[in-house]
Amino acid sequence: MNIFSEKLKEVFFSVLPVTIIVVLLNFTIVPLGYNLMFRFVIGAMFIVIGLTLFLLGVDLGVTPFGAVLGDEITKRNKLWIVVSAGLVLGFFISYAEPGLLILANQIDTVTLGNISSSSILIVVSAGIACMMVLGFLRILFDLPLYIILNVSYLIVLILGFFVSEEFLAIAFDASGSTTGVLAVPFILALSFGISARKKNSKSSEKDSFGLVAIASVGAIASVMILDIFSKTSEFAGTLPSSQFENLSISGVFMREVFPAIHDSSIAFLPLLVIYIITILISKSISKRENRRMVFGFIYAFLGLIIFFIGVNAGFMEVGSLIGSHLVEQEKYIFLISIGFVLGIVTILAEPAVYVLTHQIEEVTAGYVKRRSVLVALSAGVGLAVALSMLRIVTSDIRLWHYLLPGYIIAVMLTFFAPKLFVGIAFDAGGVATGPMTATFILAFTQGAANSYPNAELLADGFGMIAMVAMMPIITLQILGLVFKIKNRKTIEGEEKSL
C-alpha cells in the first residue's frame, strides 16, 4: 500500500502542471467551454489513476519479467538462442506498443490506403527485431555503443536522401512511437538482465543502457525502406472533427471503454504468451515471484485501460483545440511559448520516463541523480516542441533543417561524453516520446498545423515526435559532459589539497 501511495503522489504532481496550464488557458485566451473542460478534468483524474496502477504493475511484473528473460537468455550461453530471442521479443514488443498502433492507422490514412496499417506494424516490428538482435550481441561481445549508433545513423542519413518529406517525418515519428509505455520498461529490464551476468561491473553498468536506442533506429530505417520500395506519391490527410458533439459527458467516457480494452489487450497478449512459455521452461522463478508478476501484469493492464480512456476522452481534443485556436487568433508568440511550457510539463507525466530515471539512479548507485536527468530531459522536450511550433508558422523551415544538424551534434557528442551517458541519452530520446507526448502534444501540433494557412498537415503536423526524440539526446549528453568536467575539477582539487 505504501508503494501505491508513493506512485499516486508522484503521478498526481506530474499531471497537475498540465491540468493547471489548461485551466488557466480556459479562463484567459482559449475558452474551451463547460462540456470540454469538464471532460478534460475527468480525463486528468483517469490518467492519474491509470498511470499509478500502470507504474505499480511495471514495478511488480513487467520489469522483473524482463530481467528474468534477460538472465535466461544469457545463461543458456548459445548464440542461436540470443538471436532467436532478440527477433521474437523485438517483433512482439514493438507490435504490441499502443503508440505504434495509433501511428500505423494514421499512415494508412496519409497514403490513401496504399500502405495498410498492418504492413506498417509488420515492417516496423521487423526493423525493431533485427536491431534488438544487434543490441543483444553488443552487450555480449562488448561492442562499442557509439560506433554502432554512428554507423546506424549514417545509414539512416543516406536513406533520407531517397524518401519523401512526409515519410521522413513519419519514419522518425515511428521510432518515437515504438518506445512507449510497454516497450521501454521491458527492453530496459531485458538489457539490465543480460548485462548483469557480465563479470566486469563497470562494463555491465554501461551496457545496461543503449538497447532502446539501437532498437529505435530499426523503426526509422524500416519505414524509409518501405517508402523507397512502395513508390507512393499521393498523400492526403485531414484532421477529423469531434466525434463527441452529440454525446453526454458520461457517454463520451463510456464510448472509449471498449476501444481502450481492445488496444490494451493487443498490447499485452504477446507478452502474456511469452510469459506463459517462460514459466513453463524456467525453473528459477519461485511461486512467490510468479504470483507477484501476475498481479503486476493485472495492475499494468487495468492501468493502461484507464489511461487510454482518460487520454482519448479528455486530453486529445483539448490539445487540438488549443493549438488551432492560438493559430486562428494569430497569437504565434503564445503558440511557441505554450508549446515550450507544455513540452516541459508533459514529459513529467510520461510513465516510461519514471521507469528510465529510476533505473538510471539505481544502476549508477545514485551517482546520476534522477532530478538532474529530469531537468535535462524536460528542457530538451520543451525546446523541441517550441521549435516544432516555429516550423509550423515559418514556411521556409523544413523538418530536415532541424534533424540534420541536430543528429550531427548528437553523434559528435558521443565522442566526448562519458559512455554511460551516451547510452542514457539515446535511450531517453525514445522514452520521451510516450503516450502523453504522442497524444496531447501531437494533437496540439496538428491542431496548429491544420489551422495555419501556409502549413501542410502531413509535412508540418508530423515530425514533432521526431524532434522530441532528438533533443534529449543532445541535452543529456551535455549533462554528461558537465558531470565529467565536475568530476575532473573535484579530483584536481583533492590532489592540490594533498
Side-chain angles (χ1 to χ4, degrees), residues 176-424:
S177 298
T178 56
T179 50
V181 291
L182 203 60
V184 166
F186 194 81
I187 291 176
L188 285 176
L190 264 177
S191 180
F192 186 75
I194 294 173
S195 59
R197 292 188 66 86
K198 299 179 70 172
K199 295 179 180 179
N200 189 327
S201 61
K202 287 192 175 181
S203 176
S204 173
E205 182 183 273
K206 288 189 294 184
D207 289 339
S208 59
F209 297 102
L211 186 58
V212 174
I214 293 173
S216 62
V217 178
I220 302 173
S222 61
V223 173
M224 286 182 167
I225 293 171
L226 179 64
D227 179 44
I228 292 170
F229 286 99
S230 65
K231 304 295 183 182
T232 303
S233 58
E234 295 184 18
F235 296 94
T238 57
L239 199 62
S241 57
S242 174
Q243 303 174 353
F244 307 130
E245 292 179 355
N246 299 321
L247 294 176
S248 63
I249 293 175
S250 60
V252 171
F253 284 88
M254 290 297 297
R255 179 174 174 171
E256 292 299 324
V257 171
F258 288 108
I261 294 174
H262 175 266
D263 291 343
S264 300
S265 299
I266 291 176
F268 272 87
L269 183 60
L271 284 181
L272 180 61
V273 173
I274 296 171
Y275 175 75
I276 293 172
I277 294 173
T278 304
I279 292 299
L280 294 175
I281 295 175
S282 176
K283 298 180 180 179
S284 61
I285 304 175
S286 65
K287 290 183 178 180
R288 182 178 179 182
E289 289 175 326
N290 184 33
R291 185 167 58 251
R292 183 184 177 91
M293 283 191 279
V294 168
F295 277 108
F297 273 99
I298 293 172
Y299 290 146
F301 177 71
L302 293 175
L304 198 58
I305 292 173
I306 297 170
F307 177 79
F308 276 142
I309 294 172
V311 166
N312 293 326
F315 265 52
M316 283 287 286
E317 192 173 348
V318 169
S320 178
L321 187 61
I322 291 174
S324 178
H325 184 85
L326 290 172
V327 169
E328 290 172 357
Q329 299 298 316
E330 298 185 355
K331 297 176 179 177
Y332 302 138
I333 299 298
F334 280 102
L335 179 74
I336 297 170
S337 302
I338 291 172
F340 178 75
V341 175
L342 283 174
I344 289 177
V345 299
T346 304
I347 193 63
L348 299 177
E350 293 290 3
V353 168
Y354 283 91
V355 176
L356 177 69
T357 53
H358 279 299
Q359 196 155 7
I360 289 171
E361 196 169 49
E362 179 182 339
V363 168
T364 61
Y367 169 70
V368 181
K369 297 296 183 184
R370 176 174 171 271
R371 186 182 298 272
S372 300
V373 178
L374 280 176
V375 169
L377 203 56
S378 299
V381 173
L383 186 58
V385 179
L387 290 174
S388 297
M389 297 303 108
L390 180 63
R391 181 167 67 92
I392 290 173
V393 299
T394 309
S395 302
D396 294 334
I397 300 178
R398 312 312 300 170
L399 179 61
W400 71 267
H401 293 161
Y402 289 148
L403 295 182
L404 183 58
Y407 274 102
I408 288 175
I409 293 171
V411 168
M412 291 300 294
L413 284 170
T414 63
F415 293 97
F416 304 100
K419 296 301 177 271
L420 173 62
F421 274 88
V422 173
I424 291 173

Side-chain angles (χ1 to χ4, degrees), residues 62-238:
V62 177
T63 300
F65 176 52
V68 167
L69 268 179
D71 183 67
E72 287 290 329
I73 291 168
T74 50
K75 77 179 183 181
R76 305 287 176 181
N77 201 28
K78 293 182 180 179
L79 186 61
W80 71 268
I81 292 180
V82 174
V83 173
S84 301
L87 288 173
V88 172
L89 292 174
F91 186 88
F92 283 114
I93 290 169
S94 175
Y95 199 92
E97 181 57 48
L100 182 60
L101 293 173
I102 296 170
L103 185 68
N105 291 330
Q106 289 176 320
I107 293 173
D108 194 311
T109 302
V110 165
T111 59
L112 302 175
N114 290 324
I115 301 178
S116 65
S117 59
S118 60
S119 66
I120 285 292
L121 285 170
I122 292 172
V123 168
V124 172
S125 298
I128 293 288
C130 292
M131 295 303 286
M132 277 276 284
V133 172
L134 180 59
F136 283 179
L137 295 177
R138 177 193 76 86
I139 296 174
L140 292 176
F141 295 104
D142 290 319
L143 301 176
L145 174 63
Y146 74 99
I147 291 178
I148 292 176
L149 291 176
N150 288 344
V151 172
S152 299
Y153 277 104
L154 178 61
I155 295 172
V156 166
L157 175 63
I158 295 171
L159 290 173
F161 289 106
F162 300 97
V163 301
S164 62
E165 185 178 357
E166 291 85 357
F167 257 88
L168 179 67
I170 291 171
F172 278 89
D173 280 0
S175 174
S177 298
T178 56
T179 50
V181 291
L182 203 60
V184 166
F186 194 81
I187 291 176
L188 285 176
L190 264 177
S191 180
F192 186 75
I194 294 173
S195 59
R197 292 188 66 86
K198 299 179 70 172
K199 295 179 180 179
N200 189 327
S201 61
K202 287 192 175 181
S203 176
S204 173
E205 182 183 273
K206 288 189 294 184
D207 289 339
S208 59
F209 297 102
L211 186 58
V212 174
I214 293 173
S216 62
V217 178
I220 302 173
S222 61
V223 173
M224 286 182 167
I225 293 171
L226 179 64
D227 179 44
I228 292 170
F229 286 99
S230 65
K231 304 295 183 182
T232 303
S233 58
E234 295 184 18
F235 296 94
T238 57

